[in-house]
């Protein structure tokens, strides 16, 4: 690492640190189970003949991501043998490995309720892991490192989606689903190794009682922001990713309905989304070091909103087998643009969330803020199938674009363009 720092260009040096390496592992461990629920499970259910409405309502199993702030104080208050952060990272990771592997052994046509229950448990474990990972990352990064560290975390999060969203889908064309899910589960092991090897962060005046762990994070946030400021921030957290989240809710079923095979999706769709998001996110993270989080939210959010329209255009084209080569190129172009915007917007958004927390109550405040961001993905996305059946795919994506506007307007208050860099409005 020292040799790399000595030989690397000055602009690249901030990336080549031990903390950024840790952010890669936190992002990968966090992204894998969520992308499994968003991408692999819907593809599995659809390929086994489950109807689109059921798949859409299946998003409700992600409720733990919305309500994780309820049990986050336990992670701030109680310390496991391996440490307050490391212990709470490792425990759910072990549970995730076995629950993911077990999931593919059920028959979606006969055991949909059992699958729903196990998927809900998987979501709970994933949300608990996220509480610990987010708090750990916030506690090891300085204020100056938040933007870039968040970008690295988000990009590793995206890379993790390559496993259930690409590799697993390709394997599903030649292997039984049971084996596919166990192979996917093994990718939780790097995060487990990271949790064992890293150093536990220093505890900054931890809560002395469970009551203090539950109440003080909210008192501190409202006291720091004021009631009106707190409500504005919370509204922004709910709305900023609303349109983007809804637009990707049924992406895999959308590709299948457009006539693409699972291999097309694995080789074209997922890669076309991954690499622009990773490259753009890294550039965006380095750019955030110079322009600050506020301006990044404006620029990246605008890109994130406009690129949703590409899906409306792709839906307007519809399945055209006679020009499949063109269709594949269009799919790659649209997804590349969309996920460039998604990667940029998420990196800036995650940095804003981290900046809004207080180091003494990291787990609970971070969980509260990210829970709000999960509401669209969990509740509103559950009705995506109904919206598509009533509006069609083109109308659906036009609606998604319109829903991105309110979050952008709130930037005027919560992240003014001309605010001082690093200012926590």
């Amino acid at each position: 690492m020292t040799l790399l720092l000595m030989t690397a260009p000055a602009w690249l040096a901030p990336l080549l640190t031990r903390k950024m390496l840790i952010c890669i592992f936190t992002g990968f461990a966090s992204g894998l189970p969520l992308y499994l629920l968003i991408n692999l499970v819907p593809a599995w259910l659809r390929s086994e003949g489950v109807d689109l409405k059921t798949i859409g309502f299946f998003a409700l199993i992600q409720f733990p991501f919305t309500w994780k702030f309820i049990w986050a104080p336990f992670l701030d208050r109680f310390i496991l043998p391996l440490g307050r952060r490391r212990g709470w990272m490792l425990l759910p990771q072990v549970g995730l490995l076995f629950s993911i592997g077990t999931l593919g052994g059920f028959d979606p046509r006969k055991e949909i309720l059992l699958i729903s229950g196990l998927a809900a448990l998987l979501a709970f474990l994933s949300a608990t892991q996220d509480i610990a990972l987010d708090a750990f990352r916030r506690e090891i990064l300085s204020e100056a490192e938040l933007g870039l560290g968040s970008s690295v975390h988000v990009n590793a999060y995206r890379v993790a989606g390559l496993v259930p969203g690409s590799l697993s889908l390709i394997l599903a064309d030649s292997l039984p689903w049971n084996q596919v899910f166990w192979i996917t589960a093994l990718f939780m092991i790097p995060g487990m190794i990271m949790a064992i090897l890293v150093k536990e962060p220093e505890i900054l005046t931890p809560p002395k009682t469970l009551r203090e762990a539950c109440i003080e994070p909210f008192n501190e946030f409202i006291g720091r922001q004021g009631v009106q400021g707190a409500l504005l921030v919370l509204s922004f957290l709910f709305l900023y990713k609303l349109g983007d989240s809804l637009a990707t809710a049924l992406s895999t079923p959308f590709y299948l309905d457009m006539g693409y095979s699972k291999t097309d999706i694995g080789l074209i769709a997922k890669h076309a989304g991954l690499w622009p998001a990773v490259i753009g996110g890294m550039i965006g993270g380095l750019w955030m070091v110079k322009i600050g989080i506020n301006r990044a939210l404006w620029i990246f959010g605008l890109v994130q909103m406009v690129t949703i329209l590409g899906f409306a255009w792709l839906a307007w084209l519809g399945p055209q087998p006679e020009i499949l080569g063109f269709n594949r190129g269009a799919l790659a172009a649209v997804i590349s643009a969309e996920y460039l915007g998604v990667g940029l917007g998420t990196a800036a958004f995650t940095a804003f969330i981290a900046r809004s927390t207080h180091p003494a109550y990291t787990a609970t405040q971070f969980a509260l803020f990210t829970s709000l961001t999960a509401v669209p993905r969990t509740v509103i996305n559950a009705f995506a199938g109904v919206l598509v059946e009533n509006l069609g795919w083109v109308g659906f994506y036009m609606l998604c674009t319109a829903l991105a506007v309110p979050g952008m307007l709130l930037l005027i208050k919560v992240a003014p363009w001309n605010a001082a860099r690093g200012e926590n409005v």
Side-chain angles (χ1 to χ4, degrees):
M1 184 68 72
T2 303
L3 180 61
L4 283 173
L5 285 172
M6 293 175 61
T7 58
W11 62 269
L12 191 59
L15 279 172
L16 304 178
T17 66
R18 184 175 180 273
K19 290 182 180 179
M20 296 304 140
L21 178 62
I22 292 173
C23 288
I24 293 175
F25 281 92
T26 63
F28 190 89
S30 179
L32 182 71
L34 179 60
Y35 276 108
L36 180 136
L37 291 172
I38 292 175
N39 290 333
L40 186 60
V41 170
W44 172 44
L45 297 178
R46 188 65 167 168
S47 67
E48 295 294 312
V50 178
D51 63 272
L52 198 60
K53 280 187 178 180
T54 301
I55 296 173
F57 284 119
F58 215 77
L60 292 173
I61 64 169
Q62 298 176 41
F63 258 115
F65 293 100
T66 304
W67 296 97
K68 62 185 178 181
F69 66 90
I70 293 176
W71 66 93
F74 286 87
L75 278 68
D76 265 337
R77 172 66 184 89
F78 297 108
I79 301 175
L80 297 181
L82 195 60
R84 186 170 71 149
R85 299 307 179 210
R86 295 164 66 223
W88 283 112
M89 287 191 290
L90 183 62
L91 183 62
Q93 286 170 348
V94 174
L96 283 167
L97 188 151
F98 287 102
S99 59
I100 292 171
T102 305
L103 189 61
F106 295 97
D107 184 349
R109 291 163 294 186
K110 300 177 181 178
E111 301 172 301
I112 192 66
L113 290 179
L114 287 174
I115 291 172
S116 300
L118 184 56
L121 172 62
L122 195 157
F124 172 78
L125 292 170
S126 181
T128 303
Q129 177 197 220
D130 285 353
I131 296 170
L133 288 173
D134 288 339
F136 174 76
R137 192 179 72 257
R138 176 64 180 93
E139 289 169 2
I140 66 171
L141 295 176
S142 67
E143 293 290 327
E145 295 168 324
L146 279 179
L148 184 57
S150 297
S151 179
V152 171
H153 172 86
V154 168
N155 280 312
Y157 189 99
R158 297 284 177 193
V159 171
L162 186 62
V163 177
S166 180
L167 175 63
S168 300
L169 286 174
I170 295 170
L171 291 175
D173 273 337
S174 55
L175 293 177
W177 280 107
N178 184 43
Q179 294 182 25
V180 170
F181 274 91
W182 272 112
I183 291 171
T184 306
L186 293 177
F187 282 89
M188 288 304 305
I189 292 176
M192 296 165 64
I193 294 174
M194 181 272 296
I196 294 171
L197 295 181
V198 293
K199 182 181 177 182
E200 181 74 14
E202 292 184 11
I203 299 177
L204 179 62
T205 53
K208 296 181 177 60
T209 65
L210 186 58
R211 181 179 182 277
E212 180 182 340
C214 292
I215 296 175
E216 286 306 312
F218 300 96
N219 289 339
E220 189 282 329
F221 174 62
I222 294 173
R224 173 161 42 95
Q225 297 282 358
V227 175
Q228 182 179 7
L231 290 175
L232 284 172
V233 170
L234 295 177
S235 298
F236 170 73
L237 294 175
F238 175 83
L239 292 170
Y240 187 69
K241 299 286 289 182
L242 176 60
D244 164 62
S245 176
L246 185 60
T248 57
L250 292 175
S251 58
T252 302
F254 169 65
Y255 305 145
L256 291 170
D257 284 359
M258 291 299 104
Y260 298 101
S261 69
K262 292 192 289 293
T263 297
D264 282 336
I265 297 169
L267 291 177
I268 300 174
K270 301 309 175 183
H271 286 279
L274 173 66
W275 303 117
V278 169
I279 295 171
M282 296 313 301
I283 294 173
L286 292 167
W287 197 11
M288 257 192 285
V289 175
K290 294 186 176 296
I291 67 174
I293 294 172
N294 283 18
R295 293 189 177 188
L297 285 166
W298 282 87
I299 297 170
F300 301 165
L302 183 61
V303 174
Q304 175 183 268
M305 178 179 68
V306 172
T307 52
I308 297 173
L309 292 171
F311 282 107
W313 174 70
L314 196 63
W316 176 75
L317 288 177
Q320 300 179 50
E322 67 279 5
I323 51 172
L324 189 56
F326 168 77
N327 265 17
R328 286 171 174 162
L331 179 69
V334 167
I335 294 176
S336 294
E338 162 68 8
Y339 279 90
L340 172 64
V342 168
L344 291 171
T346 303
F349 190 47
T350 306
F352 176 84
I353 292 173
R355 189 183 68 181
S356 301
T357 63
H358 188 279
Y361 310 105
T362 313
T364 302
Q365 289 185 347
F366 217 124
L368 172 64
F369 300 153
T370 54
S371 291
L372 271 176
T373 69
V375 170
R377 188 178 69 233
T378 305
V379 180
I380 297 175
N381 289 10
F383 297 93
V386 176
L387 290 172
V388 170
E389 291 195 353
N390 285 276
L391 299 175
W393 284 112
V394 175
F396 171 73
Y397 286 118
M398 295 299 293
L399 174 63
C400 292
T401 305
L403 290 175
V405 174
M408 291 296 298
L409 293 177
L410 279 174
L411 285 172
I412 298 170
K413 291 292 186 180
V414 302
W417 177 268
N418 290 319
R421 282 190 55 198
E423 181 179 343
N424 191 1
V425 181

